[in-house]
Amino acid sequence: DTGVSQNPRHKITKRGQNVTFRCDPISEHNRLYWYRQTLGQGPEFLTYFQNEAQLEKSRLLSDRFSAERPKGSFSTLEIQRTEQGDSAMYLCASSPRRNYRTGTGGYGYTFGSGTRLTVV
Amino acid sequence: KNQVEQSPQSLIILEGKNCTLQCNYTVSPFSNLRWYKQDTGRGPVSLTIMTFSENTKSNGRYTATLDADTKQSSLHITASQLSDSASYICVVSLRGSNSGYALNFGKGTSLLVTP
């Protein structure tokens, strides 16, 4: 498999429940990103991992959200006590490292198909 | 204020016709500009990527242009097909950054191709 895989594709949950999504990046990509996308908008950055280290977290990522990438491979995004405002498409992307000093490495970001969350 | 503006917001064209989508940006310093196609309920799929030294790139019936001086890009779709119906997102990257904030997304142009 050469693409970014996300599971599940769809999740319907009741308000107040916890949900967890999984992302399997392209195996040789060491960088992994989570985005949230609502209808009619472009993706909004949530968080970013380089290998297993979580290097950045957006202010959009409230304390109900947590993301992990325990062995630098797959990642999980958990939302606790879901709210209706959490309903969105959650996208994962991975990219290879680019060395800006030497100009080596790729620019490519590859997105997964996303997990559509509906909170009812 | 969004640093990447796309127009039009939506577009309806007849199958077989050509169309052009626009992207203006203020992101600086500029690294590269990408066009993605996003089908409903799916993740974005890359169509083209251009660095500041490239001013045109083609991918089948899709041709992207870039004017780094005026900070404008266009995506031209030739001989449209029903399967071209999707959202087209322009993404501009900051130079010298691998940060998650390095990617600046437009809101997309929603294209509908009708028979």
Side-chain angles (χ1 to χ4, degrees):
Chain A
D1 183 11
T2 57
V4 177
S5 177
Q6 289 190 247
N7 288 289
R9 289 292 317 282
H10 304 276
K11 179 70 176 179
I12 300 174
T13 191
K14 291 184 178 179
R15 190 166 47 129
Q17 297 294 305
N18 299 344
V19 294
T20 300
F21 312 139
R22 176 176 170 129
C23 172
D24 288 89
I26 292 173
S27 57
E28 58 266 29
H29 287 184
N30 67 335
R31 293 168 188 264
L32 185 147
Y33 306 82
W34 284 99
Y35 294 88
R36 182 174 71 186
Q37 186 178 26
T38 53
L39 200 61
Q41 302 294 317
E44 298 173 292
F45 169 69
L46 291 179
T47 189
Y48 150 57
F49 290 85
Q50 180 174 312
N51 300 313
E52 68 277 6
Q54 187 174 19
L55 297 188
E56 284 180 314
K57 288 168 49 173
S58 161
R59 65 182 181 281
L60 295 175
L61 214 66
S62 75
D63 56 6
R64 296 184 299 104
F65 288 71
S66 62
E68 294 182 342
R69 195 182 182 197
K71 296 183 179 179
S73 57
F74 73 92
S75 175
T76 57
L77 177 68
E78 181 183 16
I79 309 175
Q80 295 181 327
R81 305 181 303 281
T82 51
E83 302 172 356
Q84 286 187 320
D86 297 331
S87 295
M89 172 78 86
Y90 289 85
L91 292 165
C92 175
S94 68
S95 74
R97 180 177 182 180
R98 177 162 181 83
N99 187 320
Y100 285 93
R101 183 178 61 83
T102 63
T104 57
Y107 288 115
Y109 276 67
T110 303
F111 285 88
S113 291
T115 294
R116 166 72 65 188
L117 173 66
T118 302
V119 182
V120 297
Chain B
K1 185 180 185 303
N2 199 344
Q3 297 189 69
V4 179
E5 299 287 345
Q6 292 188 242
S7 61
Q9 184 175 351
S10 61
L11 183 62
I12 302 174
I13 62 172
L14 290 174
E15 185 179 12
K17 298 295 187 183
N18 303 336
C19 67
T20 300
L21 315 180
Q22 299 290 343
C23 174
N24 296 339
Y25 64 92
T26 58
V27 176
S28 181
F30 169 85
S31 174
N32 57 79
L33 185 147
R34 314 154 195 257
W35 283 95
Y36 283 89
K37 177 187 179 188
Q38 186 174 24
D39 293 318
T40 301
R42 310 286 297 190
V45 175
S46 180
L47 295 175
T48 62
I49 178 169
M50 291 180 290
T51 62
F52 67 91
S53 61
E54 299 172 296
N55 54 24
T56 187
K57 185 162 280 189
S58 291
N59 178 359
R61 295 179 297 101
Y62 301 101
T63 299
T65 65
L66 172 65
D67 186 332
D69 291 330
T70 62
K71 298 185 177 179
Q72 296 180 327
S73 175
S74 66
L75 180 69
H76 186 74
I77 304 175
T78 305
S80 60
Q81 300 176 358
L82 298 179
S83 60
D84 292 331
S85 297
S87 179
Y88 292 83
I89 302 175
C90 175
V91 186
V92 182
S93 295
L94 273 172
R95 189 173 69 234
S97 172
N98 284 301
S99 162
Y101 290 104
L103 291 191
N104 292 265
F105 291 84
K107 293 184 178 182
T109 291
S110 178
L111 174 66
L112 177 63
V113 181
T114 63

